C-alpha cells in the first residue's frame, strides 16, 4: 500500500475545533463542540440526589448519556428509544464519557449530589466519542461553577481538565484526529483520554486492517498528547468567555 496523502491538513494537525460554551440557556452547563464536521451538544444537569448506592456517604457522582440524532449521519438513524433498547456501542461510549469525567472530580468536594451529562451528536464525521468527552468537560465545569457561585459547594471539585482525541495509522502513516473516511479505512486506530497535565485516563486501541507495533502505538500516543494539549487550551479559552 502506498503511503496515505492527507488532504487539507498535516498528519499531526487537528481538524478545526470550536467550543461554544453556554450553548443552551436552560442547562446548568452546556457547550456545542465541533471537531470539523462532527458536532455534539453537551449539557450538564445538577441533581440534588445521588444513586442509591451512594446515599448517606457524603459523596457525589457524575454520569453520562450519549446519543446520535436521526439525521446525524448520511442515512437516517432510527431512534434507539423507538427500538426499545440502547445499542452496545451507545452504552460503551456513555460509560467511557462517565469514567473520563469521574477521573478528574473529587466526589467528596462535590457533595451528595450528582451531575448528569448528556452528549447528543447532531452531526457525525468521526470522533464523536472524543468530541463528546472534550465538550462534556466544559459543560461539567460550567455546572460546577454554578454550584460554587450559588454557595452550594465550598471548593472546586474538578482537579484538572480532561480531553480526548483519536489517532490512527492510515496507509502506513500515523495521523491525528481521524475524520470518518480516515477512520473507516484505517489500518489501526486508538482513542486516547488524557488530563491537561498529560496523564492517561484510558486508551482504546484496535487493529482494523493490520496489527500495529508498540513503536507505532508510541507514535499515536505522542500525536494524541499534542492534540490534547491543544484541546485543553481551547477548553480554558471557552471557560474564560
Amino acid at each position: 500500500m502506498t503511503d496515505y496523502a492527507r488532504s487539507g491538513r498535516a498528519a499531526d494537525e487537528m481538524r478545526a475545533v470550536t467550543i461554544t460554551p453556554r450553548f443552551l440557556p436552560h442547562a446548568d452547563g452546556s457547550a456545542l463542540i465541533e471537531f470539523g464536521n462532527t458536532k455534539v451538544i453537551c449539557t450538564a444537569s445538577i441533581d440534588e440526589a445521588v444513586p442509591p448506592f451512594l446515599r448517606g456517604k457524603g459523596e457525589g457522582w457524575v454520569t453520562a448519556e450519549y446519543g446520535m440524532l436521526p439525521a446525524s449521519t448520511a442515512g437516517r438513524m432510527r431512534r434507539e428509544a423507538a427500538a426499545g433498547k440502547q445499542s452496545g456501542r451507545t452504552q460503551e461510549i456513555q460509560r467511557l464519557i462517565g469514567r473520563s469525567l469521574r477521573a478528574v472530580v473529587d466526589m467528596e468536594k462535590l457533595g451528595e449530589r450528582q451531575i448528569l451529562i448528556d452528549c447528543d451528536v447532531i452531526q457525525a464525521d468521526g470522533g464523536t466519542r472524543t468530541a463528546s468527552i472534550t465538550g462534556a468537560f466544559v459543560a461539567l465545569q460550567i455546572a460546577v461553577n454554578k454550584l460554587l457561585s450559588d454557595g452550594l459547594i465550598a471548593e472546586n471539585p474538578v482537579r484538572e481538565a480532561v480531553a480526548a482525541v483519536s489517532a490512527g495509522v492510515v496507509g502506513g502513516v500515523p495521523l491525528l484526529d481521524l475524520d470518518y473516511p480516515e477512520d473507516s479505512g484505517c489500518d489501526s486506530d486508538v482513542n486516547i483520554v488524557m488530563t491537561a497535565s498529560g496523564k492517561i485516563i484510558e486508551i482504546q486501541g484496535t487493529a482494523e486492517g493490520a496489527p500495529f507495533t508498540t513503536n507505532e502505538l508510541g507514535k499515536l500516543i505522542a500525536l494524541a498528547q499534542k492534540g490534547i494539549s491543544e484541546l485543553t487550551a481551547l477548553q480554558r479559552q471557552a471557560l474564560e468567555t
Side-chain angles (χ1 to χ4, degrees), residues 91-120:
Q91 293 181 55
E92 185 266 323
I93 290 175
Q94 62 192 26
R95 288 169 182 161
L96 170 65
I97 298 167
R99 287 194 302 272
S100 300
L101 297 175
R102 288 193 295 271
V104 297
V105 176
D106 184 324
M107 296 302 170
E108 289 187 2
K109 290 181 180 178
L110 182 59
E112 201 161 310
R113 60 177 55 82
Q114 65 179 329
I115 298 181
L116 308 167
I117 303 294
D118 288 286
C119 297
D120 292 291

Side-chain angles (χ1 to χ4, degrees), residues 1-7 11 169-173 175 178-179 181-182 185:
M1 180 182 292
T2 59
D3 284 353
Y4 177 79
R6 193 174 217 181
S7 176
V169 178
V170 182
V173 180
L175 302 177
L178 307 184
D179 59 21
E182 292 168 341

Side-chain angles (χ1 to χ4, degrees), residues 47-226:
D47 182 3
E48 292 296 329
V50 291
F53 70 91
L54 282 175
R55 288 176 189 162
K57 294 186 177 181
E59 298 178 11
W61 189 244
V62 177
T63 189
E65 293 186 13
Y66 165 96
M68 296 180 67
L69 269 61
S72 60
T73 58
R76 183 186 186 275
M77 292 189 63
R78 187 183 184 194
R79 293 184 190 273
E80 292 185 332
K85 64 177 181 179
Q86 291 182 315
S87 69
R89 176 183 180 274
T90 293
Q91 293 181 55
E92 185 266 323
I93 290 175
Q94 62 192 26
R95 288 169 182 161
L96 170 65
I97 298 167
R99 287 194 302 272
S100 300
L101 297 175
R102 288 193 295 271
V104 297
V105 176
D106 184 324
M107 296 302 170
E108 289 187 2
K109 290 181 180 178
L110 182 59
E112 201 161 310
R113 60 177 55 82
Q114 65 179 329
I115 298 181
L116 308 167
I117 303 294
D118 288 286
C119 297
D120 292 291
V121 179
I122 61 175
Q123 187 167 288
D125 184 35
T128 62
R129 74 185 65 198
T130 55
S132 294
I133 292 166
T134 306
F137 174 78
V138 174
L140 171 69
Q141 185 65 74
I142 292 171
V144 165
N145 290 345
K146 184 176 186 295
L147 289 170
L148 286 164
S149 65
D150 290 347
L152 295 175
I153 55 176
E155 297 180 75
N156 186 356
V158 178
R159 299 185 186 97
E160 60 177 319
V162 60
V165 73
S166 67
V169 178
V170 182
V173 180
L175 302 177
L176 176 64
D177 187 27
L178 307 184
D179 59 21
Y180 179 75
E182 292 168 341
D183 184 49
S184 60
C186 67
D187 301 325
S188 55
D189 74 311
V190 296
N191 296 300
I192 300 177
V193 187
M194 194 176 288
T195 67
S197 62
K199 296 176 182 176
I200 293 171
I201 293 175
E202 189 152 342
I203 299 177
Q204 299 179 329
T206 306
E208 302 283 357
F212 53 98
T213 66
T214 54
N215 182 54
E216 287 174 321
L217 177 60
K219 291 178 180 178
L220 296 180
I221 292 173
L223 282 172
Q225 285 179 312
K226 177 182 182 294

